[in-house]
Amino acid sequence: MSDAIKVLIVEDDPNICDLLQLYLEKEGYRVFLSYDGEEGLAQYYDGNPDFVILDIMLPKMDGWEVCREIRNDRNIPVLMLTGKGESYDKVKGLELGADDYVVKPFESKEIIARMKAILRRTNPHLKTQKNIELTQLLINMKEFKVYRRSKDINLPPKELELLYFLASQPNQVFTRQQLLEKIWGFDYEGDVRTIDVHIKRIREKLGDELPHWSLKTIRGVGYKFEVNLGV
């Protein structure tokens, strides 16, 4: 059991916590529960979990702030729960670095399916992929990190996956829908604006582009990672 994936659930509804704990433990996960944001963040630092399921509406500290603190610390998969269906909640969660979101009410099997999909994307198979080395840019998939001018750039898993996918196929244009299917999976039902949010965040964190490479917007189509080997 010591090698089991540790999941921290931060949710103020005890019934939801108990139900998720039951299903997740049946799947072999180690589960830790917290019922407010402050306690959840304390458990995150103390327990060093591998995955966080995080409600938005929490006592003492809301899920937005908890997610922000987690993202400032390290890259760990975060699945957000929301009782609202507004796109604002979804977009804000993605901007803060959440990997996915589920709207209440939900079925426990949906949570597990989304968790497994996220873990497949962020765990071992990505670490076997080749590193990408360009002028002042290194995407190291063994460490699951990005370096710009030798400085470690903190990209959440989804942003790193998106950057790696585009950079591994230089000068090829992908539509937003294609990128959603490649990174989020064919069963993802989110808005294509998800891609725009992530591209914006990646650009902000990488800083000024170089003539050697750039993350280009192809108006009306999508995006490409442009590499100019002649520069």
Side-chain angles (χ1 to χ4, degrees):
M1 192 69 177
S2 60
D3 294 330
I5 291 174
K6 296 185 290 185
V7 180
L8 171 62
I9 301 173
V10 189
E11 162 65 63
D12 63 338
D13 187 329
N15 293 325
I16 292 177
C17 283
D18 292 344
L19 187 62
L20 287 176
Q21 182 177 27
L22 176 66
Y23 275 86
L24 290 171
E25 287 183 344
K26 282 185 178 180
E27 292 286 327
Y29 298 102
R30 292 179 63 194
V31 179
F32 304 88
L33 304 178
S34 182
Y35 302 101
D36 68 65
E38 287 184 358
E39 180 191 14
L41 194 57
Q43 284 209 42
Y44 162 78
Y45 286 118
D46 291 341
N48 195 33
D50 303 299
F51 197 103
V52 177
I53 298 176
L54 177 63
D55 188 28
I56 292 176
M57 303 301 292
L58 291 168
K60 299 184 180 180
M61 180 186 291
D62 65 31
W64 305 131
E65 191 171 353
V66 175
C67 184
R68 188 180 294 110
E69 291 291 331
I70 289 173
R71 276 291 166 261
N72 286 336
D73 181 56
R74 66 186 173 103
N75 291 333
I76 176 178
V78 176
L79 174 65
M80 299 199 79
L81 307 178
T82 173
K84 304 174 183 177
E86 290 89 345
S87 60
Y88 169 78
D89 279 346
K90 302 170 185 177
V91 172
K92 184 173 180 180
L94 293 169
E95 286 180 338
L96 289 175
D99 295 275
D100 204 351
Y101 58 85
V102 174
V103 178
K104 300 175 185 177
F106 53 78
E107 294 186 13
S108 297
K109 63 182 180 181
E110 179 185 5
I111 296 288
I112 292 171
R114 288 181 181 268
M115 274 187 61
K116 288 181 176 179
I118 292 169
L119 288 169
R120 281 197 299 271
R121 292 192 296 266
T122 58
N123 268 8
H125 81 283
L126 281 175
K127 300 181 188 296
T128 64
Q129 294 176 331
K130 294 181 179 179
N131 294 342
I132 294 176
E133 295 187 51
L134 298 169
T135 302
Q136 297 186 17
L137 180 68
L138 168 63
I139 306 176
N140 187 323
M141 298 310 289
K142 184 176 181 180
E143 297 181 1
F144 211 65
K145 289 184 177 181
V146 176
Y147 298 90
R148 175 73 197 276
R149 298 190 181 99
S150 300
K151 178 183 177 182
D152 185 0
I153 305 297
N154 184 21
L155 292 186
K158 275 293 197 309
E159 291 175 13
L160 193 149
E161 293 171 57
L162 181 56
L163 176 62
Y164 180 85
F165 177 78
L166 288 167
S168 65
Q169 301 180 76
N171 302 320
Q172 184 171 342
V173 178
F174 293 92
T175 67
R176 291 169 175 82
Q177 188 60 43
Q178 286 175 321
L179 293 172
L180 275 178
E181 292 175 357
K182 293 291 185 181
I183 307 302
W184 278 262
F186 287 95
D187 58 346
Y188 182 73
E189 298 178 354
D191 196 304
V192 291
R193 288 180 300 172
T194 297
I195 298 297
D196 299 330
V197 170
H198 281 68
I199 292 290
K200 178 174 179 284
R201 300 291 288 181
I202 292 169
R203 283 172 170 160
E204 288 174 350
K205 293 173 182 177
L206 289 182
D208 296 335
E209 293 174 333
L210 296 172
H212 306 276
W213 55 266
S214 59
L215 193 52
K216 292 286 188 183
T217 300
I218 309 302
R219 183 169 295 182
V221 182
Y223 296 96
K224 72 173 180 178
F225 191 91
E226 187 172 278
V227 176
N228 187 354
L229 298 177
V231 176

